[in-house]
Amino acid sequence: MSIFKIFFGRNKNFDFNKDIKTVEKEKLLPNSKAHGFPIHRRYREKIVNKIVEIDAKEFVGSFLECHFIDCKIKIRCSAKYTYVLTNKCIFENCLIWAHTKQIGGNWNPKFKNCSFKGRFELRFENKLFNCDFSQAKISSVGLLENNTLDEITGVNYPIVAISDLKNNLQELDKIETPDTFKDIIWASKRFSGLLIINIEEFTSEPNKLWNSMKHLEFIKTTHNIV
């Protein structure tokens, strides 16, 4: 009999997965130094139920190919350092909390069952699975491997998702839109997948813009009923 069955096998009310997640998270401490400055230097580690500070001060460490599970990830550096620090990582059941705006470039970790909080304006290279953006502040985010909203929640008006932008550009061109909106569409057209965009940031009349394009099947938001 396993140790878990010895302690919990007779308690039918015990939910192992649920109770494990209620354990208070501890901060993951740096495990290395660079010129006397403490940094994280981790490679292919599995990190479970921790508060993890992603930061870059005098020196930059890394979490190369690490697997984070049930963690609270606090990002306190710019996107260019976040990319370096989290190269090829996996985040599962994590809160990704950007305390510093994540603006510019691509991000290549894999995300599953994650929620995002803070400001994001970048591109995700890998497909996201069952991820929630309801707490995030989005200007424009590209999801290069997600072609639909099937795996994405929290795209609430004035946030809208435009699928397969590259192949639907001609239909969008038929709509009268502000120049600022046209500019972001033009800049993103060479990428496939989803473009998630806050239309309030690209026009002073978001309802007018929405009403002009809400009939298009490749544009989605929870506000589609309006």
Side-chain angles (χ1 to χ4, degrees), residues 200-218:
E200 282 189 344
E201 296 195 14
F202 298 93
T203 176
S204 59
E205 298 180 291
N207 286 331
K208 180 180 178 180
L209 176 58
W210 171 244
N211 287 329
S212 71
M213 64 182 185
K214 66 181 181 181
H215 64 284
L216 298 171
E217 293 185 357
F218 57 87

Side-chain angles (χ1 to χ4, degrees), residues 160-175:
V160 302
I162 305 173
S163 62
D164 199 5
L165 179 60
K166 184 177 180 180
N167 291 322
N168 289 311
L169 193 62
Q170 289 184 345
E171 288 296 316
L172 273 176
D173 283 341
K174 297 176 183 178
I175 299 172

Side-chain angles (χ1 to χ4, degrees), residues 15-178:
D15 184 334
F16 180 77
N17 290 325
K18 180 179 179 181
D19 286 18
I20 282 295
K21 291 182 181 180
T22 62
V23 176
E24 185 177 352
K25 292 178 173 57
E26 295 182 352
K27 184 176 179 180
L28 182 69
L29 299 177
N31 66 336
S32 184
K33 288 186 178 181
H35 299 278
F37 186 83
I39 63 172
H40 288 285
R41 197 183 303 277
R42 302 178 184 276
Y43 177 62
R44 291 188 174 179
E45 289 188 29
K46 181 176 285 187
I47 301 168
V48 181
N49 203 48
K50 296 290 186 180
I51 297 173
V52 182
E53 301 275 353
I54 306 292
D55 204 349
K57 296 180 181 179
E58 286 85 350
F59 299 95
V60 179
S62 68
F63 291 91
L64 180 61
E65 297 182 33
C66 289
H67 188 176
F68 298 89
I69 302 173
D70 295 329
C71 290
K72 181 184 290 185
I73 310 297
K74 295 185 175 183
I75 304 174
R76 301 189 185 277
C77 56
S78 64
K80 66 178 181 180
Y81 291 118
T82 306
Y83 175 87
V84 173
L85 281 160
T86 62
N87 193 28
K88 297 181 180 179
C89 286
I90 298 173
F91 295 93
E92 186 175 354
N93 301 325
C94 293
L95 170 63
I96 313 298
W97 189 349
H99 291 258
T100 300
K101 296 177 182 178
Q102 298 301 291
I103 299 177
N106 287 14
W107 203 6
N108 68 13
K110 296 179 180 178
F111 298 92
K112 181 179 181 182
N113 302 328
C114 291
S115 57
F116 293 83
K117 186 175 182 179
R119 180 67 180 267
F120 295 88
E121 186 178 335
L122 38 68
R123 292 183 293 272
F124 291 83
E125 293 183 359
N126 291 306
K127 186 173 182 177
L128 276 61
F129 294 92
N130 191 32
C131 288
D132 179 15
F133 283 90
S134 60
Q135 300 180 76
K137 296 179 181 179
I138 291 177
S139 176
S140 62
V141 166
L143 279 63
L144 306 190
E145 295 297 326
N146 288 78
N147 296 311
T148 69
L149 281 175
D150 291 346
E151 298 286 347
I152 307 298
T153 57
V155 179
N156 305 317
Y157 185 86
I159 311 296
V160 302
I162 305 173
S163 62
D164 199 5
L165 179 60
K166 184 177 180 180
N167 291 322
N168 289 311
L169 193 62
Q170 289 184 345
E171 288 296 316
L172 273 176
D173 283 341
K174 297 176 183 178
I175 299 172
E176 184 178 349
T177 58

